Amino acid sequence: MTGMPAGLADEATAALGEDEADAFLARAGLVLPDVVAALERLYGDRAGDLLGRALRTALQAAAERPAALRRLDRRREIDPAWFQSPRVQGYVCYVDRFCGTLRELPAKLDHLEALGTTYLHLMPLLRPREGENDGGYAVADYRAVDPRLGTMADLEAVAGALHERGMSLCIDLVLNHTAREHRWARGWLAGDPAYAGFYTAFPDRRLPDAYDATIPEVFPDRAPGSFSWVPEALGGAGGWVWTTFWPYQWDLDYTNPEVTLAVLGEITWLANRGVDVFRMDAVPFLWKRIGTNGQNLPEAHVLLQLLHALTRLAAPGVVFKAEAIVAPDDLVQYLGAHERYRPECELAYHNQLMVLLWSSLATGDARLARQALGRMRPIPPTTTWCTYVRGHDDIGWAVTDTDAGALGLDGAAHRRFLNDFYSGRFPGSFARGALFQENEATGDARISGTTASLCGIEDALDRGDDAALEAALRRLGLLYAVAYGFGGIPLLYSGDELAQRNDTGYLADPALEPDNRWMHRPPLDWAAAARAGDPRSLEGRVTALLRGLAEARRGQPALAGGTESEVVDAGSDAVLVWRRRHPRSGTLVGLANVSARPQTVDADTVTGFGTYPCVAGSDGPLPVEDGRLVVPGLGWAWYAQP
């Protein structure tokens, strides 16, 4: 099975017209090998019939694609690296916490544009189940918006307003599961043959116990195991339904190709509403096999490659972002870095960089970051990282025992130290975070808290300590200077531009109170935003810092995607130094002193024998003494070859 299905060319011409059909068929010819290989790998001898159905699903979506989005597709096909430009930077927010509703959002775009935003990630907004819904990740309808936020027409209007300003729209797409209230789940329960095999259920505990023996629990305290008893399942006889996360989130069974085609239909439908980037949620869990940990299986990658190829066939301006918080060697595979490259996702979160920056600030030592970042596998040049300081989620300390051991550290002890430090338990800590999902038996936990509170701003303000506040602001600036200068798409989490602190308001809401991650998801303080123009205010200082980083970044071609950052030892254990060189630019060297004391680094390593000017920094051009660059405590700088 290698050729194009019979009749597809005529159908494309009839649906699209001669010119658009020619473009569609050219794209189809390019993706056909990937589509065929994926279908054969996943579905064996059913692949022949599925190929025609998959391509026709993409054709129908292409025919329904609005003219404005087709023009955007053409621009992006001419410039396929559009998302790798140093002008691209992101802002991440919940609609209700940012501005209330989707209808109100276009009026707030001036705020985002002033920060340099060209990529807006709106956190879960598709219609969730009523009641508990995992923060919106239990989707009851992919084609409707949460009614508290607005309508799908409102979302289309937001996409249009963004595109008019040269901004792109990113939304979350939950691939692993639906809410039990989704029409697919209701049809499956009712025995509708159209939804047969969409979910997995077992009549007794024999197989669930066998799977659970090797699959780690995601929420061991509140949702142990990977299965939930559903009395209505299996024709009313009852069954153990696969629920990796919460009992109301039912895992889709992608061994059934009807599920794959149905999900493709939802993706392309949403793409035609104006979505540019899909954050593919929980992708490591998409495929299951007994005797494994149920994550990162080869078939999960093949499935993503299939969905990617078919989506790009229908909407070539759309890209995928993998939400995969896994070990670095596993993570790079979601960007297609396999033994043989396969297009999969264009973007992924640089979780390692984020974790190692917080670890470095707690210890005042950059060696662990240098060790771990230095041994990461390169990613394909057609992809790029999303770099960030923190996001909507808790921080899990993804420090491997291998990397810790290379420095003579005990990995488990270091992870416990980080939890103690950022929850404020460690003597002398500046942080005001909180433990999330603490397991007292194992000592495992993760950390909640806003960037400002974890950096020490909240603590300094409460104590009225001006010197501590200055140090805390320098920590925040250092973190974002690395995120903006490491390469990729930097993401600014809503509220960080105003140094917003932990919000305890969630405790008054019974639906949110059990989940302390809501403390770092505060409503944007628009009164504080009004003070951002005052350079003497806290908000003004942080906003000015971020605007400066954005402006400096736009002028540095070395920060374009398509190349890797090399971590360099410049002669100080406290200074993280990295170097970038894009094929079409000179070299950029960044440095960040994670300790509170001045440090020195080899000037030649950083400044290219003194020929690289400082293009951005916390303290202006740095002095050189005896051939070594003097970096102030918690200072940072970028040096760029002219």
Side-chain angles (χ1 to χ4, degrees):
M1 184 188 69
T2 57
M4 201 80 72
L8 185 68
D10 291 339
E11 293 173 39
T13 301
L16 297 171
E18 190 171 332
D19 290 344
E20 289 285 350
D22 187 62
F24 177 86
L25 293 169
R27 292 196 297 271
L30 288 174
V31 304
L32 191 63
D34 290 332
V35 172
V36 169
L39 288 172
E40 290 179 341
R41 173 73 181 274
L42 296 177
Y43 304 118
D45 57 10
R46 291 176 288 178
D49 173 61
L50 293 171
L51 175 64
R53 293 178 60 197
L55 294 179
R56 288 178 172 89
T57 298
L59 174 59
Q60 180 181 347
E64 295 171 354
R65 193 149 172 81
L69 297 179
R70 292 189 192 186
R71 288 194 295 273
L72 189 58
D73 288 338
R74 283 196 289 273
R75 291 200 295 273
R76 291 176 176 173
E77 284 190 289
I78 292 169
D79 179 20
W82 64 271
F83 58 88
Q84 295 184 323
S85 166
R87 300 189 65 83
V88 176
Q89 65 182 65
Y91 188 91
V92 184
C93 64
Y94 287 86
V95 173
D96 55 341
R97 297 190 161 242
F98 179 66
C99 64
T101 66
L102 287 165
R103 191 164 294 181
E104 296 169 85
L105 200 153
K108 301 296 187 182
L109 293 183
D110 286 348
H111 175 79
L112 301 182
E113 196 165 48
L115 293 165
T117 305
T118 61
Y119 165 113
L120 178 61
H121 177 185
L122 300 178
M123 295 300 293
L125 49 71
L126 300 180
R127 187 169 74 81
R129 72 189 298 268
E130 294 183 6
E132 190 176 356
N133 57 44
D134 190 26
Y137 288 101
V139 175
D141 189 348
Y142 291 111
R143 300 196 181 197
V145 165
D146 185 335
R148 296 169 299 177
L149 304 178
T151 66
M152 188 56 71
D154 293 333
L155 182 62
E156 289 188 73
V158 166
L162 290 170
H163 292 154
E164 287 176 6
R165 293 183 183 235
M167 299 180 183
S168 57
L169 172 63
C170 172
I171 70 166
D172 292 75
L173 188 72
V174 184
L175 289 184
N176 180 69
H177 48 262
T178 70
R180 62 173 293 158
E181 291 80 5
H182 193 282
R183 63 184 175 86
W184 298 345
R186 288 186 281 109
W188 176 75
L189 272 186
D192 186 336
Y195 304 109
F198 266 51
Y199 304 87
T200 304
F202 299 103
D204 55 47
R205 286 294 311 183
R206 184 178 63 85
L207 283 174
D209 285 344
Y211 279 107
D212 275 343
T214 57
I215 294 177
E217 296 171 311
V218 177
F219 298 119
D221 56 342
R222 295 180 57 204
S226 297
F227 299 86
S228 300
W229 177 256
V230 178
E232 307 95 320
L234 300 179
W240 291 95
V241 174
W242 203 307
T243 58
T244 295
F245 293 88
W246 298 105
Y248 51 78
Q249 291 169 307
W250 293 2
D251 287 36
L252 290 163
D253 185 352
Y254 283 98
T255 63
N256 177 1
E258 299 301 327
V259 172
T260 303
L261 292 175
V263 169
L264 173 65
E266 304 303 272
I267 295 172
T268 54
W269 190 90
L270 286 165
N272 282 350
R273 311 279 80 74
V275 177
D276 303 282
V277 182
F278 287 98
R279 174 189 176 273
M280 298 304 209
D281 184 71
V283 290
F285 302 90
L286 294 178
W287 203 272
K288 284 78 171 173
R289 185 181 303 119
I290 202 162
T292 72
N293 67 358
Q295 298 182 43
N296 309 309
L297 296 180
E299 292 88 348
H301 291 286
V302 175
L303 177 61
L304 273 176
Q305 292 159 18
L306 176 63
L307 292 173
H308 179 270
L310 293 167
T311 299
R312 292 294 298 265
L313 174 57
V318 168
V319 299
F320 285 5
K321 176 167 62 175
E323 190 273 324
I325 309 304
V326 295
D329 285 348
D330 293 323
L331 175 58
V332 297
Q333 296 182 46
Y334 290 96
L335 293 169
H338 305 284
E339 181 181 349
R340 297 181 180 182
Y341 169 67
R342 294 287 187 272
E344 192 161 329
C345 293
E346 287 83 359
L347 307 174
Y349 291 96
H350 205 324
N351 183 61
Q352 275 284 282
L353 180 65
M354 181 272 293
V355 166
L356 292 163
L357 285 173
W358 287 110
S359 173
S360 299
L361 277 184
T363 60
D365 190 323
R367 288 179 300 162
L368 184 59
R370 195 162 64 217
Q371 156 70 22
L373 294 171
R375 72 179 189 91
M376 285 189 70
R377 291 168 53 195
I379 62 175
T382 53
T383 67
T384 200
W385 292 112
C386 289
T387 55
Y388 63 114
V389 170
R390 79 142 308 116
H392 77 289
D393 221 341
D394 52 275
I395 300 175
W397 302 115
V399 175
T400 68
D401 292 341
T402 299
D403 288 324
L407 272 69
L409 300 174
D410 179 281
H414 184 65
R415 292 187 289 271
R416 285 194 297 272
F417 158 72
L418 292 172
N419 279 324
D420 287 344
F421 189 92
Y422 283 107
S423 63
R425 294 178 176 182
F426 193 81
S429 170
F430 49 75
R432 291 276 189 94
L435 295 176
F436 176 72
Q437 291 283 343
E438 182 178 16
N439 185 325
E440 294 184 1
T442 64
D444 291 337
R446 304 192 291 276
I447 286 291
S448 295
T450 66
T451 298
S453 293
L454 295 180
C455 280
I457 291 175
E458 180 178 347
D459 178 70
L461 289 172
D462 284 353
R463 294 190 292 107
D465 188 329
D466 291 342
L469 180 60
E470 290 302 312
L473 284 167
R474 289 178 71 83
R475 291 186 196 102
L476 186 147
L478 180 149
L479 290 168
Y480 270 106
V482 179
Y484 275 57
F486 205 78
I489 300 176
L491 304 179
L492 172 63
Y493 190 74
S494 182
D496 278 7
E497 72 271 31
L498 306 174
Q500 286 191 235
R501 277 78 73 198
N502 290 340
D503 173 37
T504 58
Y506 78 97
L507 294 171
D509 185 336
L512 304 182
E513 187 272 334
D515 186 346
N516 70 16
R517 290 176 297 181
W518 288 102
M519 71 167 53
H520 57 249
R521 303 166 181 171
L524 192 76
D525 186 343
W526 287 100
R531 297 192 291 272
D534 180 358
R536 299 164 299 179
S537 69
L538 174 64
E539 298 84 3
R541 293 180 65 183
V542 175
T543 295
L545 163 78
L546 292 167
R547 288 178 178 176
L549 284 170
E551 183 177 358
R553 185 175 184 277
R554 287 193 291 270
Q556 298 304 318
L559 292 177
T563 190
E564 291 285 288
S565 289
E566 175 192 8
V567 180
V568 178
D569 184 349
S572 171
D573 290 342
V575 183
L576 179 67
V577 180
W578 68 97
R579 180 189 292 130
R580 290 182 65 80
R581 182 181 180 116
H582 191 272
R584 300 191 65 178
S585 78
T587 297
L588 180 141
V589 179
L591 57 91
N593 178 7
V594 297
S595 77
R597 298 178 180 276
Q599 303 289 328
T600 66
V601 293
D602 179 64
D604 289 345
T605 300
V606 173
T607 68
F609 298 96
T611 63
Y612 299 174
C614 181
V615 294
S618 56
D619 301 273
L622 302 178
V624 177
E625 298 178 1
D626 299 324
R628 295 184 68 80
L629 202 67
V630 181
V631 190
L634 302 172
W636 62 270
W638 301 348
Y639 287 86
Q641 183 180 10

